[in-house]
Amino acid sequence: MTNAANTTKATGADGTRWVRTARYASLLGCAILAGIAVTVLVLELAFRRLTGPEYVRVRQAEFAFLTWYIGVVTVLTLVAVAALVRHAHRAHGPALRPAAVALALLLLALAISLAVNGPINVEQTGWHAQAPPADWARIRDRWQIAHAVRTAAILAALGFLSTAVLE
């Protein structure tokens, strides 16, 4: 076998291991984000039955564990999807369009997080559980609506990304 044949065999049909890694990492990361988003969406629907003090306690308990984890997964996923888009662009491959749409949708979800959900999360960390603000339910509703839109964007990104990875 020639060196070129050995290299292709060792690195896969794409010619590089990093492309294969980017495909798996982007798909896995987006699937994790989608799973978290859907789980939080379902939980938030259940949280609508809570009183103000109960809601504040639950939300503040979430922040310590979910915030850093979601941040790390989001950054790693965006890097992997961007690498996939870059490779598809350079290869002029059919995966470019679905990968680019997936990246745009993930960036939209991030923008929603930074513009709406994140600031509300920061605000809620300062709330006193025994005396939430008078408009806590309105703020909760705004957070939940933004999260529903963010979840739809992440799920759509997962669909486009699945198409891109299978191309």
Side-chain angles (χ1 to χ4, degrees):
M1 230 185 252
T2 67
N3 276 348
N6 284 334
T7 300
T8 300
K9 185 177 180 184
T11 58
D14 294 326
T16 60
R17 286 187 180 156
W18 77 265
V19 173
R20 192 172 19 172
T21 301
R23 284 181 176 157
Y24 291 128
S26 62
L27 194 58
L28 177 62
C30 194
I32 290 169
L33 290 174
I36 293 168
V38 169
T39 299
V40 169
L41 185 66
V42 170
L43 287 173
E44 283 292 326
L45 291 173
F47 293 167
R48 294 188 67 77
R49 297 180 180 167
L50 299 178
T51 65
E54 293 169 333
Y55 181 76
V56 172
R57 277 194 292 276
V58 169
R59 292 290 292 147
Q60 289 176 345
E62 288 176 355
F63 299 139
F65 296 100
L66 283 178
T67 304
W68 69 268
Y69 178 71
I70 292 170
V72 169
V73 173
T74 298
V75 168
L76 294 175
T77 301
L78 286 170
V79 168
V81 175
L84 192 61
V85 169
R86 182 173 180 246
H87 169 72
H89 182 264
R90 285 184 168 186
H92 303 290
L96 176 59
R97 186 162 294 172
V101 171
L103 181 60
L105 287 165
L106 289 172
L107 289 172
L108 172 64
L110 178 61
I112 292 168
S113 295
L114 295 174
V116 181
N117 298 93
I120 291 173
N121 289 348
V122 170
E123 179 183 345
Q124 289 176 341
T125 60
W127 288 0
H128 296 287
Q130 295 307 319
D135 63 344
W136 73 269
R138 184 190 59 77
I139 295 169
R140 175 205 60 202
D141 293 349
R142 185 168 173 246
W143 191 97
Q144 289 175 342
I145 290 167
H147 180 69
V149 173
R150 177 174 63 177
T151 300
I154 292 169
L155 289 171
L158 181 59
F160 279 100
L161 198 53
S162 297
T163 300
V165 168
L166 295 175
E167 297 274 336

